[in-house]
């Protein structure tokens, strides 16, 4: 089997802001700052950005990784025929686009896209099959929305104290708190 080579991206130059991510469209270059966004998801399983902003970046990364694999190891369709590489790639991007919220496999998906050779050193077909399995899940990460604190509640008092601490104000009015 021919050995596939994957281009190495330059070192990270720092994270990007939401406006930069919003302006990104597939076909544009994935900058080191944009790679940092994917690395954050791969490392933590979370992102500071909305799913709608991440989807175009993930779609571009899927296309880039699959195209780089296919340049060196064009093994799609497999030995018994089947779908063309382009057809499978279109399906992967379409599957990603179907998610209205972050799929629960997002962390594993970004791990694989950032370091595909770790598990799939040479096969485009096997890589694309793995990506498809991660994109055919039906569960998403639940979005937790906190209700506003009720007036006079402990939650409201705690939020007020935390806000004062965050701005550098003295919490608790300077008086020690009574503990019983």
């Amino acid at each position: 089997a021919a050995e596939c080579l994957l281009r190495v991206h330059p070192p990270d130059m720092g994270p990007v802001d939401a406006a930069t991510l919003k302006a990104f469209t597939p076909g544009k270059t994935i900058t080191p700052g944009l790679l940092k966004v994917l690395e954050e998801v791969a490392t933590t399983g979370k992102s500071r950005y909305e799913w709608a902003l991440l989807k175009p970046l993930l779609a571009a990364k899927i296309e880039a990784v699959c195209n780089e694999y296919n340049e060196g190891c064009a093994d799609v369709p497999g030995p018994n025929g089947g779908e063309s590489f382009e057809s499978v790639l279109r399906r992967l991007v379409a599957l990603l686009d179907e998610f209205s919220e972050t799929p629960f496999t997002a962390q594993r998906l970004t791990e694989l896209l950032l370091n595909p050779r770790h598990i799939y050193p040479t096969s485009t077909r096997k890589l694309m099959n793995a990506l498809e399995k991660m994109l055919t899940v039906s569960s998403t990460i639940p979005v937790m929305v906190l209700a506003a604190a009720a007036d006079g509640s402990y939650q409201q008092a705690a939020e007020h104290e935390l806000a004062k601490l965050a701005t550098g104000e003295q919490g608790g009015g300077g008086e020690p708190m009574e503990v019983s």
Side-chain angles (χ1 to χ4, degrees):
E3 176 142 348
C4 298
L5 299 175
L6 187 63
R7 285 181 235 139
V8 176
H9 297 281
D12 176 34
M13 301 300 177
V16 298
D17 60 7
T20 302
L21 192 56
K22 191 172 188 171
F24 179 81
T25 56
K28 287 188 175 181
T29 301
I30 299 175
T31 64
L34 290 169
L35 279 176
K36 180 69 176 165
V37 172
L38 295 177
E39 289 169 0
E40 179 180 70
V41 176
T43 303
T44 66
K46 298 178 177 123
S47 173
R48 67 184 85 202
Y49 306 103
E50 294 177 25
W51 173 244
L53 296 176
L54 286 176
K55 276 202 296 190
L57 179 57
L58 282 168
K61 189 65 175 167
I62 287 170
E63 289 177 2
V65 168
C66 289
N67 281 320
E68 288 177 20
Y69 260 74
N70 196 52
E71 286 174 11
C73 301
D75 63 352
V76 176
N80 298 326
E83 283 185 275
S84 69
F85 168 80
E86 293 78 16
S87 176
V88 176
L89 184 56
R90 279 193 306 272
R91 187 173 67 246
L92 292 176
V93 173
L95 285 168
L96 176 71
D97 195 48
E98 288 178 11
F99 286 101
S100 58
E101 296 295 331
T102 310
F104 80 91
T105 56
Q107 183 173 14
R108 181 68 185 119
L109 176 64
T110 53
E111 288 172 352
L112 183 57
L113 291 172
L114 291 171
N115 191 10
R117 303 238 178 258
H118 181 70
I119 305 248
Y120 304 102
T122 60
S123 177
T124 305
R125 182 178 43 80
K126 288 179 182 179
L127 171 71
M128 292 178 96
N129 286 341
L131 290 171
E132 185 173 21
K133 284 183 182 186
M134 284 182 256
L135 293 170
T136 54
V137 298
S138 58
S139 298
T140 59
I141 297 172
V143 177
M144 185 172 155
V145 179
L146 294 177
D151 287 340
S153 69
Y154 175 77
Q155 180 183 350
Q156 184 184 42
E159 288 174 359
H160 178 71
E161 291 301 313
L162 285 172
K164 285 175 31 179
L165 288 171
T167 60
E169 295 179 34
Q170 174 66 33
E175 298 294 321
M177 187 171 153
E178 276 190 39
V179 178
S180 50

